[in-house]
Amino acid sequence: MNRKYRKTLIAGNWKMNKTPSETKAFMSELKGLLPKGRWCDIALCVPAVCIPAAVRAMRETRVGIGAENCNANPSGAYTGEISTSMLTDAGCKYVIVGHSERRAMGETDADVNAKALAALDAGLVPIICCGESLEQREAGITEEWITMQIKLALAGISEDKIRKIVIAYEPIWAIGTGRTATPEQAEEVCQHIRVVVRKLFGSKNARATTILYGGSMNEKNAYELLAQPDIDGGLIGGASLVPSKFVKIIEDANQPTA
Ligand code: 13P
């Protein structure tokens, strides 16, 4: 983290977990546990049907609610899809785009780019995900792959909007596997992402960009990961489903740093 230049963000991604009733119970427990410190931003990205309950419960708090996906089109014949204006109207602040689980369902780099642009237009913060597979890591092409994903995802984003994005590095081999990247491995790629952003948008914008790590981040390993200079927070799956674990990670993000 480097709080002098950029925001720290602890974001949960619930994936396909919890019902609206369970969301209500989770949020009321979370409210009771949230630390008073105001260092980091907090987000919870929840299933679409849980958004109203989450927004209602967290209205007076500093927890921003987000969606896990959006459609880039403004409206129309897209059965089952949800537009960015629907999300903002429902009270969302964030939306995850390009998660590897959605890419595995067919989302392309062009889709990710279109979704990021649509989110920014609507005033949402897109949490843009990237990450390599185990095969790519072992083939030694992690940097090339991440460079390509980031360049394609950020294409056409204007200078005045670049500071509104968040990037999440999520190595696919670390997601839901309990096999976390080491702090050094995660830092290496997050630092590389910042270099890519610098080449595209200049050093001031790169310095101000919040870059998260995700992949089996939990209450036991978060402190070490967050201590890395280019890891500005976490995108947390499993551990965000349990209030006490999620809060422990928020507390770790409140650690004093340079
Ligand atoms: P886990 O924390 O469950 O590994 O999930 C990470 C993730 O995919 C967050 O988007």
Side-chain angles (χ1 to χ4, degrees):
M1 295 183 292
N2 188 330
R3 288 194 287 256
K4 192 167 162 204
Y5 294 118
R6 49 193 175 258
K7 284 183 176 176
T8 302
L9 172 66
I10 298 299
N13 172 13
W14 278 4
K15 309 190 178 184
M16 199 171 75
N17 291 291
K18 296 197 190 289
T19 63
S21 317
E22 288 165 347
T23 301
K24 200 174 161 201
F26 175 99
M27 295 300 169
S28 91
E29 190 179 341
L30 180 67
K31 270 203 246 183
L33 295 174
L34 275 179
K36 299 271 181 288
R38 290 194 145 263
W39 288 115
C40 72
D41 288 353
I42 305 167
L44 273 166
C45 299
V46 303
V49 292
C50 301
I51 290 169
V55 167
R56 210 174 306 123
M58 298 321 244
R59 197 162 280 149
E60 304 297 320
T61 72
R62 62 203 171 92
V63 178
I65 301 304
E68 300 175 8
N69 182 33
C70 64
N71 188 289
N73 294 291
S75 63
Y78 304 101
T79 303
E81 292 292 283
I82 297 175
S83 72
T84 53
S85 61
M86 292 173 189
L87 295 178
T88 48
D89 194 64
C92 282
K93 290 198 178 133
Y94 300 87
V95 61
I96 297 172
V97 300
H99 193 282
S100 60
E101 288 155 14
R102 294 215 59 88
R103 290 180 190 258
M105 290 180 234
E107 194 164 303
T108 64
D109 285 308
D111 294 331
V112 176
N113 178 237
K115 290 178 186 202
L117 290 169
L120 287 167
D121 272 349
L124 291 163
V125 173
I127 301 176
I128 301 167
C129 302
C130 63
E132 82 288 0
S133 66
L134 190 58
E135 293 71 29
Q136 288 162 339
R137 173 159 285 263
E138 286 173 349
I141 58 165
T142 298
E143 285 201 356
E144 288 89 339
W145 181 256
I146 298 292
T147 304
M148 184 202 70
Q149 284 191 319
I150 294 297
K151 280 189 174 173
L152 291 171
L154 302 186
I157 294 181
S158 55
E159 278 262 355
D160 61 312
K161 296 244 173 82
I162 192 64
R163 295 203 184 194
K164 306 251 155 55
I165 67 155
V166 169
I167 297 173
Y169 167 55
E170 299 206 305
I172 296 168
W173 47 272
I175 295 176
T177 57
R179 186 180 163 192
T180 324
T182 64
E184 294 72 27
Q185 283 173 323
E187 166 63 17
E188 192 181 17
V189 181
C190 290
Q191 193 181 58
H192 174 69
I193 291 169
R194 203 175 303 287
V195 171
V196 176
V197 176
R198 189 174 69 222
K199 285 184 184 152
L200 294 169
F201 296 97
S203 56
K204 279 196 182 148
N205 286 321
R207 204 169 61 180
T209 301
T210 295
I211 302 175
L212 313 180
Y213 167 77
S216 299
M217 192 192 241
N218 59 36
E219 72 288 1
K220 296 194 185 85
N221 57 32
Y223 187 93
E224 266 193 295
L225 287 158
L226 295 170
Q228 301 297 315
D230 289 286
I231 300 178
D232 307 310
L235 184 55
I236 298 132
S240 74
L241 297 169
V242 182
S244 59
K245 293 185 181 179
F246 191 54
V247 162
K248 170 70 172 62
I249 299 170
I250 294 165
E251 283 166 353
D252 287 342
N254 282 334
Q255 66 182 284
T257 55

